[in-house]
Amino acid sequence: MKQLMEAKHLRLAVLASGRGSNFDAICEAIDKKVLDAEISVLISDNPNAPALQKAAARGIEALHINPREFAGRDDYEAVLVRELRARNADLVILAGYMRLVGKVFLSAFENRVLNIHPALLPSFQGLHAQQQALDYGVRISGCTVHIVDEGMDTGPIILQKEVPVYDTDNEETLSERILLEEHQIYQQALQLIAEGRVWIEGRRVFIQKQSGEA
Ligand code: GRF
């Protein structure tokens, strides 16, 4: 079994393509000192991502890197890696980042890229996970924090939280209810890593109990 990271104050880098509410929730957890971390940079592939403005408003460096300016994914990711290394990022947090991450990126940050997904994986991978859950008719959906591998939403699971699905739900109402839990479990997973309590063996992730914890 391998420790994901020794206990430390985390230097995070965030990749986001859109709204940035998970980014905001992580910033608030840091401000409230429930998460022992700092965010060194937010990078977006989308020049119009509200997340860029949110980062700038918080005084966090906000960078747009346009994937279309590169010959292919490997070249784009090589630049991402260079920028993240230049800022000594311990962990890369995907927060609504709408691209698959490839070999170049993952080999530079093995087991150090995290994602949040709005369903209980391995159910409902990919886009519109909340609508997929409604269409399937599950009574319980939720969200998952996982380590990123080359697949789409397939990496080892760190934390999950269930959310009930109501008869009256539509994609919007279910998404809102799941989002509230996303904001909680992402920061919780990060704090567990900051405390050095996350261990991994194969696909299985183990959370070390605190002394006195049952
Ligand atoms: C969240 O629902 C997250 O689970 C998914 O994309 C959405 C991003 O929302 N991966 P936000 O940009 O963090 O508000």
Side-chain angles (χ1 to χ4, degrees), residues 13-23 26 41-47 49-52 63-68 70 72-81 84 92-106 109 113-118 126-128 146 148-153 179 182 186:
V14 177
L15 297 189
S17 304
R19 179 178 56 182
S21 74
N22 276 286
F23 161 73
I26 291 168
V41 66
L42 179 139
I43 301 179
S44 183
D45 56 336
N46 169 13
L52 282 170
L63 218 59
H64 165 53
I65 301 181
N66 185 354
R68 295 200 198 116
F70 301 89
R73 183 166 73 176
D74 288 359
D75 292 354
Y76 162 63
E77 290 194 345
V79 169
L80 277 184
V81 168
L84 295 170
V92 183
I93 306 306
L94 308 189
Y97 180 65
M98 304 305 283
R99 284 174 189 277
L100 271 179
V101 177
K103 268 199 181 66
V104 169
F105 200 95
L106 292 173
F109 289 97
V113 185
L114 262 51
N115 184 40
I116 179 101
H117 183 73
L127 292 176
H128 297 289
H146 66 94
V148 174
D149 65 10
E150 273 190 75
M152 189 188 289
D153 305 318
L179 194 64
E182 293 183 34
Y186 219 172

Coordinates of all heavy atoms in Angstrom, one line a residue, residues 13-23 26 41-47 49-52 63-68 70 72-81 84 92-106 109 113-118 126-128 146 148-153 179 182 186:
A13 N -3.2 23.4 -7.8 CA -3.5 24.1 -9.1 C -4.8 23.6 -9.5 O -5.1 22.4 -9.4 CB -2.4 23.8 -10.1
V14 N -5.6 24.5 -10.1 CA -7.0 24.1 -10.5 C -7.1 24.3 -12.0 O -6.6 25.3 -12.6 CB -8.0 25.1 -9.8 CG1 -9.4 24.7 -10.3 CG2 -7.9 24.9 -8.3
L15 N -7.7 23.3 -12.6 CA -8.1 23.4 -14.1 C -9.6 23.4 -14.2 O -10.3 22.5 -13.6 CB -7.6 22.2 -14.9 CG -6.1 21.9 -14.9 CD1 -5.8 20.8 -16.0 CD2 -5.3 23.2 -15.3
A16 N -10.1 24.4 -14.8 CA -11.6 24.6 -14.9 C -11.9 25.1 -16.3 O -11.2 26.0 -16.8 CB -12.0 25.6 -13.8
S17 N -13.1 24.7 -16.8 CA -13.5 25.2 -18.1 C -14.8 26.1 -18.0 O -15.2 26.7 -19.0 CB -13.9 24.0 -19.0 OG -12.8 23.1 -19.1
G18 N -15.4 26.2 -16.8 CA -16.7 26.8 -16.8 C -16.9 27.7 -15.6 O -16.1 28.6 -15.2
R19 N -18.0 27.4 -14.9 CA -18.6 28.2 -13.8 C -17.6 28.4 -12.6 O -17.5 29.5 -12.1 CB -19.8 27.5 -13.4 CG -20.7 28.1 -12.3 CD -21.9 27.3 -12.2 NE -21.6 25.9 -11.9 CZ -22.5 24.9 -11.8 NH1 -23.7 25.1 -11.9 NH2 -22.1 23.6 -11.6
G20 N -17.0 27.4 -12.2 CA -16.1 27.5 -11.1 C -16.6 27.5 -9.7 O -16.0 28.0 -8.7
S21 N -17.8 26.9 -9.5 CA -18.4 26.8 -8.1 C -17.6 25.9 -7.2 O -17.4 26.2 -6.0 CB -19.8 26.5 -8.1 OG -20.0 25.1 -8.4
N22 N -17.0 24.8 -7.8 CA -16.2 23.9 -6.9 C -14.9 24.6 -6.5 O -14.4 24.5 -5.4 CB -15.9 22.6 -7.7 CG -17.0 21.6 -7.5 OD1 -17.2 21.0 -6.4 ND2 -17.8 21.4 -8.5
F23 N -14.3 25.4 -7.5 CA -13.2 26.2 -7.2 C -13.5 27.2 -6.0 O -12.7 27.2 -5.1 CB -12.7 27.0 -8.4 CG -11.8 28.1 -8.2 CD1 -10.5 27.9 -7.8 CD2 -12.3 29.4 -8.3 CE1 -9.7 29.0 -7.5 CE2 -11.5 30.5 -8.0 CZ -10.2 30.3 -7.6
I26 N -13.7 25.4 -2.7 CA -12.3 25.1 -2.1 C -11.7 26.3 -1.6 O -11.1 26.3 -0.5 CB -11.5 24.4 -3.3 CG1 -12.1 23.0 -3.6 CG2 -10.0 24.3 -2.8 CD1 -11.5 22.4 -4.8
V41 N -2.5 28.6 -8.8 CA -3.0 29.1 -10.1 C -4.3 28.4 -10.5 O -4.5 27.3 -10.1 CB -1.9 28.8 -11.2 CG1 -1.6 27.3 -11.4 CG2 -2.1 29.5 -12.5
L42 N -5.1 29.1 -11.3 CA -6.2 28.5 -12.0 C -6.0 28.6 -13.5 O -5.7 29.7 -14.0 CB -7.5 29.1 -11.6 CG -8.8 28.5 -12.3 CD1 -9.9 28.4 -11.3 CD2 -9.2 29.3 -13.5
I43 N -6.0 27.5 -14.2 CA -5.8 27.5 -15.6 C -7.1 27.1 -16.3 O -7.7 26.1 -15.9 CB -4.6 26.6 -16.0 CG1 -3.3 27.0 -15.3 CG2 -4.4 26.6 -17.5 CD1 -2.1 26.2 -15.6
S44 N -7.5 27.8 -17.3 CA -8.7 27.4 -18.1 C -8.3 27.2 -19.6 O -7.5 28.0 -20.1 CB -9.8 28.4 -17.9 OG -10.9 28.0 -18.6
D45 N -9.0 26.3 -20.2 CA -8.9 26.1 -21.6 C -9.9 27.0 -22.4 O -9.9 27.1 -23.6 CB -9.1 24.6 -22.0 CG -10.5 24.1 -21.5 OD1 -11.0 24.7 -20.5 OD2 -11.0 23.2 -22.1
N46 N -10.8 27.6 -21.6 CA -11.9 28.4 -22.1 C -11.7 29.9 -21.7 O -11.8 30.2 -20.5 CB -13.2 27.9 -21.6 CG -14.4 28.8 -21.9 OD1 -14.3 29.7 -22.7 ND2 -15.5 28.5 -21.3
P47 N -11.4 30.8 -22.7 CA -11.2 32.2 -22.3 C -12.4 32.9 -21.6 O -12.2 33.8 -20.9 CB -10.9 32.9 -23.7 CG -11.5 32.0 -24.7 CD -11.5 30.6 -24.2
A49 N -14.4 31.4 -19.5 CA -14.8 30.7 -18.2 C -15.0 31.6 -17.1 O -14.0 32.4 -16.7 CB -13.8 29.6 -17.9
P50 N -16.2 31.7 -16.5 CA -16.4 32.5 -15.3 C -15.3 32.2 -14.2 O -15.0 33.1 -13.4 CB -17.8 32.2 -14.8 CG -18.5 31.7 -16.1 CD -17.4 31.0 -16.9
A51 N -14.8 31.0 -14.2 CA -13.8 30.6 -13.2 C -12.6 31.5 -13.2 O -12.0 31.8 -12.2 CB -13.4 29.1 -13.4
L52 N -12.2 31.9 -14.4 CA -11.1 32.8 -14.6 C -11.3 34.1 -13.8 O -10.4 34.6 -13.1 CB -10.8 33.1 -16.1 CG -10.1 32.0 -16.9 CD1 -10.1 32.4 -18.4 CD2 -8.7 31.8 -16.4
L63 N -5.0 31.9 -15.6 CA -4.3 31.8 -16.9 C -5.2 31.1 -17.9 O -5.8 30.0 -17.6 CB -3.1 30.8 -16.6 CG -1.7 31.1 -17.2 CD1 -1.2 32.5 -16.9 CD2 -0.7 30.0 -16.7
H64 N -5.2 31.6 -19.1 CA -5.9 30.9 -20.2 C -4.9 30.3 -21.1 O -4.0 31.0 -21.6 CB -6.8 31.9 -21.0 CG -7.3 31.4 -22.3 ND1 -7.9 30.2 -22.4 CD2 -7.2 31.9 -23.5 CE1 -8.2 29.9 -23.7 NE2 -7.7 30.9 -24.4
I65 N -5.0 29.0 -21.3 CA -4.1 28.4 -22.3 C -5.0 27.7 -23.3 O -5.9 26.9 -23.0 CB -3.2 27.3 -21.6 CG1 -2.3 28.0 -20.5 CG2 -2.3 26.6 -22.7 CD1 -1.3 27.1 -19.8
N66 N -4.8 28.1 -24.6 CA -5.7 27.7 -25.6 C -5.2 26.4 -26.3 O -4.2 26.4 -27.0 CB -5.8 28.8 -26.7 CG -6.8 28.5 -27.7 OD1 -7.4 27.4 -27.8 ND2 -7.1 29.5 -28.6
P67 N -5.9 25.3 -26.1 CA -5.5 24.0 -26.7 C -5.4 24.1 -28.2 O -4.6 23.4 -28.8 CB -6.5 23.0 -26.2 CG -7.3 23.7 -25.2 CD -7.2 25.2 -25.3
R68 N -6.2 25.0 -28.8 CA -6.2 25.0 -30.3 C -4.9 25.6 -30.8 O -4.6 25.5 -32.0 CB -7.4 25.9 -30.8 CG -8.7 25.2 -30.4 CD -9.8 25.7 -31.3 NE -11.1 25.4 -30.7 CZ -11.9 26.2 -30.2 NH1 -11.7 27.5 -30.3 NH2 -13.0 25.8 -29.6
F70 N -2.1 24.5 -30.2 CA -1.0 23.5 -30.2 C -1.4 22.4 -31.3 O -2.5 22.2 -31.7 CB -0.9 22.8 -28.9 CG -0.6 23.8 -27.8 CD1 -1.6 24.5 -27.1 CD2 0.7 24.1 -27.5 CE1 -1.3 25.4 -26.1 CE2 1.1 25.1 -26.5 CZ 0.1 25.7 -25.9
G72 N -1.3 19.3 -31.1 CA -2.0 18.1 -30.6 C -2.1 18.2 -29.0 O -1.5 19.1 -28.4
R73 N -2.8 17.2 -28.5 CA -2.9 17.1 -27.0 C -1.6 17.1 -26.3 O -1.4 17.7 -25.2 CB -3.8 16.0 -26.6 CG -4.1 16.0 -25.1 CD -5.2 15.0 -24.7 NE -4.8 13.6 -24.8 CZ -5.6 12.6 -24.4 NH1 -6.8 12.9 -24.0 NH2 -5.2 11.4 -24.5
D74 N -0.6 16.3 -26.8 CA 0.6 16.1 -26.1 C 1.4 17.5 -26.0 O 1.9 17.8 -24.9 CB 1.5 15.1 -26.9 CG 1.1 13.7 -26.7 OD1 0.0 13.5 -26.0 OD2 1.7 12.8 -27.3
D75 N 1.4 18.3 -27.0 CA 2.0 19.6 -27.0 C 1.3 20.5 -26.0 O 2.0 21.2 -25.2 CB 2.0 20.2 -28.4 CG 2.9 19.5 -29.3 OD1 3.6 18.5 -28.9 OD2 2.9 19.8 -30.5
Y76 N 0.0 20.5 -26.0 CA -0.8 21.3 -25.1 C -0.5 20.9 -23.7 O -0.2 21.7 -22.8 CB -2.2 21.1 -25.5 CG -3.2 21.6 -24.4 CD1 -3.3 22.9 -24.0 CD2 -4.1 20.6 -23.8 CE1 -4.2 23.3 -23.0 CE2 -5.0 21.0 -22.9 CZ -5.1 22.3 -22.4 OH -6.0 22.7 -21.5
E77 N -0.5 19.6 -23.4 CA -0.3 19.1 -22.0 C 1.1 19.4 -21.6 O 1.4 19.6 -20.4 CB -0.6 17.6 -21.9 CG -2.1 17.4 -22.1 CD -2.6 16.0 -21.6 OE1 -1.7 15.1 -21.5 OE2 -3.8 15.9 -21.4
A78 N 2.1 19.3 -22.5 CA 3.5 19.6 -22.1 C 3.6 21.0 -21.6 O 4.3 21.3 -20.6 CB 4.4 19.4 -23.3
V79 N 2.9 22.0 -22.2 CA 2.9 23.4 -21.7 C 2.2 23.5 -20.3 O 2.6 24.1 -19.4 CB 2.3 24.3 -22.7 CG1 2.1 25.7 -22.2 CG2 3.2 24.4 -24.0
L80 N 1.0 22.8 -20.2 CA 0.3 22.8 -18.9 C 1.3 22.3 -17.8 O 1.4 22.9 -16.7 CB -0.9 21.8 -19.0 CG -2.2 22.3 -19.6 CD1 -3.2 21.2 -19.4 CD2 -2.7 23.6 -18.8
V81 N 2.0 21.2 -18.1 CA 2.9 20.6 -17.1 C 4.0 21.6 -16.7 O 4.3 21.7 -15.6 CB 3.5 19.2 -17.6 CG1 4.6 18.8 -16.8 CG2 2.4 18.2 -17.7
L84 N 2.5 24.2 -14.5 CA 2.2 23.7 -13.1 C 3.4 23.4 -12.3 O 3.5 23.7 -11.1 CB 1.3 22.5 -13.3 CG 0.0 22.7 -13.9 CD1 -0.8 21.4 -14.2 CD2 -0.9 23.6 -13.0
V92 N -3.2 18.6 -8.7 CA -3.9 19.3 -9.7 C -5.4 18.9 -9.6 O -5.8 17.7 -9.5 CB -3.5 18.9 -11.1 CG1 -4.2 19.7 -12.2 CG2 -2.0 19.2 -11.3
I93 N -6.2 19.9 -9.4 CA -7.7 19.7 -9.1 C -8.5 20.0 -10.4 O -8.5 21.2 -10.8 CB -8.1 20.7 -8.0 CG1 -7.2 20.6 -6.8 CG2 -9.5 20.6 -7.6 CD1 -7.1 19.2 -6.3
L94 N -9.1 19.0 -10.9 CA -10.0 19.3 -12.0 C -11.4 19.7 -11.5 O -11.9 19.0 -10.6 CB -10.2 18.1 -12.9 CG -8.9 17.4 -13.5 CD1 -9.3 16.3 -14.5 CD2 -7.9 18.4 -14.0
A95 N -11.9 20.9 -11.9 CA -13.1 21.4 -11.3 C -14.0 21.9 -12.5 O -13.9 23.0 -12.9 CB -12.8 22.5 -10.3
G96 N -14.7 20.9 -13.1 CA -15.4 21.3 -14.3 C -14.5 21.5 -15.5 O -14.7 22.4 -16.3
Y97 N -13.5 20.7 -15.6 CA -12.5 20.8 -16.7 C -13.0 19.8 -17.8 O -13.1 18.6 -17.5 CB -11.1 20.4 -16.2 CG -10.1 20.5 -17.3 CD1 -9.7 21.7 -17.9 CD2 -9.4 19.3 -17.6 CE1 -8.7 21.7 -18.9 CE2 -8.4 19.3 -18.6 CZ -8.0 20.5 -19.2 OH -7.0 20.6 -20.1
M98 N -13.4 20.3 -18.9 CA -14.1 19.5 -19.9 C -13.3 18.8 -20.9 O -13.7 18.7 -22.1 CB -15.2 20.4 -20.6 CG -16.1 21.2 -19.7 SD -17.0 20.1 -18.6 CE -18.2 19.5 -19.7
R99 N -12.1 18.3 -20.5 CA -11.2 17.6 -21.4 C -10.7 16.3 -20.8 O -10.5 16.3 -19.5 CB -10.0 18.4 -21.7 CG -10.3 19.5 -22.7 CD -9.1 20.4 -22.9 NE -9.7 21.5 -23.7 CZ -9.8 21.5 -25.0 NH1 -9.3 20.5 -25.7 NH2 -10.4 22.5 -25.6
L100 N -10.5 15.3 -21.6 CA -9.8 14.1 -21.1 C -8.4 14.5 -20.9 O -7.8 15.2 -21.7 CB -10.0 13.0 -22.1 CG -11.2 12.1 -22.0 CD1 -11.1 11.1 -23.1 CD2 -11.3 11.5 -20.6
V101 N -7.8 13.9 -19.8 CA -6.4 14.2 -19.5 C -5.6 13.0 -20.1 O -6.0 11.9 -19.9 CB -6.2 14.3 -18.0 CG1 -4.7 14.5 -17.7 CG2 -7.0 15.5 -17.5
G102 N -4.5 13.3 -20.8 CA -3.7 12.3 -21.5 C -2.4 11.9 -20.7 O -2.1 12.3 -19.6
K103 N -1.6 11.1 -21.5 CA -0.4 10.5 -20.9 C 0.6 11.5 -20.4 O 1.2 11.3 -19.4 CB 0.3 9.6 -22.0 CG -0.2 8.2 -22.0 CD 0.9 7.3 -22.8 CE 0.4 5.9 -22.8 NZ -0.9 5.7 -23.6
V104 N 0.8 12.5 -21.2 CA 1.9 13.5 -20.9 C 1.6 14.1 -19.5 O 2.5 14.2 -18.7 CB 1.9 14.6 -22.0 CG1 2.8 15.8 -21.6 CG2 2.4 14.0 -23.3
F105 N 0.3 14.5 -19.4 CA -0.1 15.1 -18.1 C 0.0 14.1 -16.9 O 0.5 14.4 -15.9 CB -1.5 15.6 -18.3 CG -1.9 16.7 -17.3 CD1 -1.7 18.0 -17.6 CD2 -2.3 16.3 -16.0 CE1 -2.0 19.0 -16.7 CE2 -2.6 17.3 -15.1 CZ -2.5 18.6 -15.4
L106 N -0.6 12.9 -17.2 CA -0.7 12.0 -16.1 C 0.7 11.4 -15.7 O 0.9 11.1 -14.5 CB -1.7 10.8 -16.4 CG -3.1 11.3 -16.5 CD1 -4.0 10.2 -17.1 CD2 -3.6 11.8 -15.2
F109 N 2.2 13.9 -13.3 CA 1.5 14.0 -12.0 C 0.7 12.7 -11.7 O -0.5 12.7 -11.5 CB 0.4 15.2 -12.1 CG 1.1 16.5 -12.1 CD1 1.3 17.2 -13.3 CD2 1.5 17.2 -11.0 CE1 1.9 18.4 -13.4 CE2 2.1 18.4 -11.0 CZ 2.3 19.0 -12.2
V113 N -3.7 14.0 -9.8 CA -4.7 14.7 -10.5 C -6.1 14.2 -9.9 O -6.3 13.0 -10.0 CB -4.7 14.5 -12.0 CG1 -5.7 15.4 -12.7 CG2 -3.3 14.8 -12.5
L114 N -6.9 15.1 -9.4 CA -8.2 14.7 -8.8 C -9.3 15.3 -9.7 O -9.2 16.4 -10.3 CB -8.3 15.2 -7.4 CG -7.9 14.3 -6.3 CD1 -6.6 13.6 -6.5 CD2 -7.9 15.0 -4.9
N115 N -10.5 14.6 -9.6 CA -11.6 15.1 -10.3 C -12.9 14.9 -9.4 O -12.9 14.1 -8.6 CB -11.8 14.4 -11.6 CG -13.0 14.9 -12.5 OD1 -13.2 16.2 -12.5 ND2 -13.7 14.1 -13.1
I116 N -13.9 15.8 -9.7 CA -15.2 15.6 -9.0 C -16.2 15.3 -10.1 O -16.2 15.9 -11.2 CB -15.6 16.8 -8.2 CG1 -17.0 16.6 -7.6 CG2 -15.6 18.1 -9.1 CD1 -16.9 16.3 -6.1
H117 N -17.0 14.3 -9.9 CA -18.0 13.9 -10.9 C -19.4 13.8 -10.2 O -19.5 13.3 -9.1 CB -17.7 12.5 -11.4 CG -18.6 12.1 -12.5 ND1 -18.6 12.6 -13.8 CD2 -19.6 11.2 -12.6 CE1 -19.5 12.1 -14.5 NE2 -20.2 11.2 -13.8
P118 N -20.4 14.4 -10.9 CA -21.7 14.5 -10.3 C -22.6 13.2 -10.4 O -23.7 13.3 -10.8 CB -22.4 15.6 -11.0 CG -21.8 15.6 -12.4 CD -20.4 15.1 -12.2
G126 N -19.2 10.5 -17.8 CA -19.3 11.4 -18.9 C -20.2 12.6 -18.7 O -20.6 12.9 -17.5
L127 N -20.7 13.2 -19.8 CA -21.5 14.4 -19.7 C -22.9 14.1 -19.2 O -23.4 13.0 -19.4 CB -21.6 15.0 -21.0 CG -20.3 15.6 -21.6 CD1 -20.4 16.2 -23.0 CD2 -19.7 16.7 -20.6
H128 N -23.6 15.1 -18.6 CA -25.0 15.0 -18.2 C -25.2 13.8 -17.3 O -26.2 13.1 -17.5 CB -25.9 15.0 -19.4 CG -25.8 16.3 -20.2 ND1 -26.3 17.5 -19.8 CD2 -25.2 16.5 -21.4 CE1 -26.0 18.4 -20.7 NE2 -25.4 17.8 -21.7
H146 N -12.5 11.4 -7.3 CA -11.6 10.3 -7.7 C -10.3 10.8 -8.3 O -10.1 12.0 -8.7 CB -12.3 9.4 -8.7 CG -12.6 10.1 -10.0 ND1 -11.7 9.9 -11.1 CD2 -13.6 10.8 -10.5 CE1 -12.2 10.6 -12.1 NE2 -13.3 11.2 -11.8
V148 N -7.6 10.8 -11.2 CA -7.8 10.8 -12.6 C -6.8 9.8 -13.3 O -5.6 9.8 -13.0 CB -7.6 12.2 -13.2 CG1 -7.7 12.1 -14.7 CG2 -8.7 13.1 -12.6
D149 N -7.4 8.9 -14.1 CA -6.5 8.1 -15.0 C -6.9 8.4 -16.4 O -7.6 9.4 -16.7 CB -6.7 6.6 -14.6 CG -8.1 6.1 -14.9 OD1 -8.9 6.8 -15.5 OD2 -8.3 4.9 -14.5
E150 N -6.5 7.6 -17.4 CA -6.7 8.0 -18.8 C -8.1 7.8 -19.3 O -8.5 8.3 -20.3 CB -5.7 7.3 -19.7 CG -4.4 8.0 -19.8 CD -3.5 7.4 -20.9 OE1 -3.8 7.6 -22.0 OE2 -2.6 6.7 -20.5
G151 N -8.9 7.1 -18.5 CA -10.3 6.9 -18.9 C -11.2 8.1 -18.6 O -10.7 9.0 -18.0
M152 N -12.4 8.0 -19.0 CA -13.4 9.0 -18.6 C -14.1 8.7 -17.3 O -14.9 7.8 -17.3 CB -14.4 9.3 -19.8 CG -15.2 10.5 -19.5 SD -16.5 10.7 -20.6 CE -15.7 11.1 -22.1
D153 N -13.7 9.4 -16.2 CA -14.3 9.1 -14.9 C -14.1 7.7 -14.4 O -15.0 7.1 -13.9 CB -15.8 9.5 -15.0 CG -16.0 10.9 -15.5 OD1 -15.3 11.8 -15.1 OD2 -16.9 11.1 -16.3
L179 N -24.7 19.3 -6.4 CA -23.6 20.3 -6.3 C -23.2 20.7 -4.9 O -22.1 20.9 -4.5 CB -24.0 21.6 -7.1 CG -22.8 22.5 -7.4 CD1 -21.7 21.9 -8.3 CD2 -23.4 23.8 -8.1
E182 N -21.1 18.1 -3.7 CA -19.7 18.2 -4.3 C -18.8 19.1 -3.6 O -17.7 18.9 -3.3 CB -19.9 18.7 -5.8 CG -20.6 17.8 -6.7 CD -20.6 18.3 -8.2 OE1 -19.7 19.0 -8.6 OE2 -21.6 18.1 -8.9
Y186 N -15.3 17.5 -2.0 CA -14.0 17.9 -2.6 C -13.1 18.4 -1.6 O -11.9 18.0 -1.5 CB -14.3 18.9 -3.8 CG -13.4 18.6 -5.0 CD1 -13.6 19.3 -6.2 CD2 -12.4 17.6 -5.0 CE1 -12.8 19.0 -7.3 CE2 -11.6 17.3 -6.1 CZ -11.8 18.0 -7.3 OH -11.1 17.8 -8.4

